Amino acid sequence: MHRTVTAFAATLALTGMALAHANTKDPTVKAWMANMKAIVDETKTIGQMVRNQAAFDADAANASLSRIAGYSADIPVLFSEKADDPTSEARDLIWSDWPAFEKEAAKLTDLTGNRAVASPDELRLALTEIGATCKSCHGTYRE
């Protein structure tokens, strides 16, 4: 249960981040944020199933995991160009230690890319792992 709450808290933090950056002007930073919001949206779908706010649907859950894998695979592409916007929370460490950032970003893709869940318990574990992966990357690379 604690892990589910932690994953949900990470989802809420990402949601707050998206709402806080409504005044972003730089198109590259906007693209970063749109990608992260798409991941949040898929995580919300999964979270609703985990919290029994929506019926468990293995096909829908696996589709969300697949989309998260696609969005996360785009992270290195989107962040390949450094951009500056007052609303950005991206740390310079992303570009000063690019190989480490790519490796960290790949963890979410690897976690969700070939994963298939068949039960609510498997989905709960996946959400917990997604939350931990997001928290790890953001703890290092986001201000």
Side-chain angles (χ1 to χ4, degrees), residues 6 9-11 17 21-22 25 28 37 45-46 51 65 69 76 79 98 107 112 114 117 132 141:
T6 302
T11 300
M17 177 185 72
H21 299 295
K25 304 285 187 244
T28 300
K37 184 180 180 319
T45 298
I46 293 169
R51 290 185 311 279
L65 291 171
F79 280 85
W98 182 255
K107 289 179 183 178
T112 56
N114 293 315
V117 297
Y141 297 107

Side-chain angles (χ1 to χ4, degrees), residues 74-91:
D74 290 341
I75 291 171
V77 175
L78 292 169
F79 280 85
S80 63
E81 178 185 334
K82 186 175 179 181
D84 191 27
D85 190 288
T87 62
S88 174
E89 294 177 322
R91 290 186 176 163

Side-chain angles (χ1 to χ4, degrees), residues 62-128:
N62 289 320
S64 285
L65 291 171
S66 179
R67 285 189 291 269
I68 290 170
Y71 296 131
S72 63
D74 290 341
I75 291 171
V77 175
L78 292 169
F79 280 85
S80 63
E81 178 185 334
K82 186 175 179 181
D84 191 27
D85 190 288
T87 62
S88 174
E89 294 177 322
R91 290 186 176 163
D92 287 339
L93 183 60
I94 292 170
W95 299 278
S96 66
D97 192 3
W98 182 255
F101 175 74
E102 282 185 306
K103 184 177 178 182
E104 188 71 26
K107 289 179 183 178
L108 185 57
T109 307
D110 294 343
L111 176 68
T112 56
N114 293 315
R115 187 170 202 149
V117 297
S119 72
D121 287 339
E122 290 177 358
L123 185 59
R124 181 174 289 106
L125 178 60
L127 180 61
T128 299

